Amino acid sequence: MLIRTIKVLTRGNQVSRKSIEKLDLLLLILETIDLNGIQSFYSLSNKLNLNNVLPNKVTIWKLRNNNPLRKSYVGNNIKHYEFDALIRISVEMSKYLYPYIREILKSKEDLEVNSVIWNDFNIRFIELIKERFNLDSIRVKKLLNQAENEEIIIKSLLTLSFCISNQGYQKLKNFLYDF
């Protein structure tokens, strides 16, 4: 049953569209927190010895453009090992940014005291969406709608928070593949 599920979600040798969208959204959340996101991703790929899969920033950008919600979408069918490398970077970046993730979540709980943190995060997130995603897509419009995007942002931040544990990689991989 598990193998059959993996094949359905990954369409044989390809990663599913839904999994790519979810991972790219998590990477975008990390970029919202880290202003030097793409440089940080590339530095982490070197630190994690992923140079053979992610040799430069352009490769990371091209892989992320497999997300159909992006303006610059190209359906190159991301490979499992490429997707896995992006998962590893996401986990490592989550560990590094965890204090900020926690602070953003905390600011949402108490908007009267910490509204600036949540609002700044939300504004930057929306700016990145507008800059990189296809604004004609209904799903992208949902991300831009502040009434609807709060739940998506909170779930994404919580998902990244779970990545800091010793089993963070496996937890994120399971989440992305919907096991």
Side-chain angles (χ1 to χ4, degrees):
M1 177 70 178
L2 182 61
I3 291 174
R4 194 167 119 212
T5 304
I6 291 171
K7 286 183 181 178
V8 168
L9 290 170
T10 61
R11 293 181 306 224
N13 195 22
Q14 300 169 350
V15 178
S16 76
R17 171 185 172 156
K18 185 176 178 182
S19 296
I20 293 168
E21 288 175 14
K22 286 167 43 173
L23 180 59
D24 192 38
L25 181 63
L26 293 175
L27 289 166
L28 191 73
I29 293 280
L30 292 169
E31 277 187 287
T32 302
I33 299 168
D34 184 344
L35 300 179
N36 297 317
I38 191 66
Q39 180 60 42
S40 298
F41 295 153
Y42 179 64
S43 296
L44 283 173
S45 73
N46 289 330
K47 179 182 172 189
L48 298 170
N49 296 320
L50 298 171
N51 299 357
N52 56 335
V53 180
L54 306 171
N56 54 49
K57 294 179 223 175
V58 174
T59 303
I60 296 170
W61 175 78
K62 284 181 179 179
L63 290 175
R64 292 183 65 195
N65 282 326
N66 280 283
N67 179 355
L69 299 179
R70 285 193 168 252
K71 285 180 182 176
S72 53
Y73 168 66
V74 289
N76 289 335
N77 298 326
I78 189 169
K79 309 286 187 287
H80 285 287
Y81 65 89
E82 295 167 330
F83 192 72
D84 186 67
L86 292 175
I87 292 172
R88 292 186 186 284
I89 287 173
S90 300
V91 168
E92 198 63 31
M93 190 79 160
S94 296
K95 290 176 182 178
Y96 174 72
L97 294 176
Y98 179 70
Y100 303 103
I101 293 169
R102 188 180 67 234
E103 193 63 33
I104 293 165
L105 286 168
K106 182 180 170 187
S107 74
K108 177 60 178 139
E109 286 178 17
D110 191 3
L111 283 177
E112 290 179 18
V113 176
N114 295 314
S115 65
V116 172
I117 295 170
W118 177 260
N119 291 336
D120 285 351
F121 175 83
N122 208 359
I123 289 168
R124 174 141 164 79
F125 177 73
I126 288 172
E127 286 173 356
L128 289 175
I129 294 284
K130 286 179 179 177
E131 177 184 311
R132 299 176 185 180
F133 283 30
N134 177 3
L135 301 178
D136 295 328
S137 166
I138 292 171
R139 294 183 26 218
V140 173
K141 287 178 183 176
K142 185 176 179 179
L143 289 172
L144 293 173
N145 181 343
Q146 288 191 344
E148 295 185 44
N149 79 359
E150 283 186 9
E151 182 181 344
I152 295 167
I153 290 172
I154 291 170
K155 283 182 179 180
S156 298
L157 288 166
L158 288 172
T159 299
L160 293 170
S161 295
F162 293 132
C163 294
I164 67 163
S165 71
N166 291 337
Q167 294 81 29
Y169 165 76
Q170 193 59 48
K171 287 178 183 179
L172 184 56
K173 189 172 180 179
N174 290 346
F175 167 75
L176 292 170
Y177 285 116
D178 286 331
F179 290 145

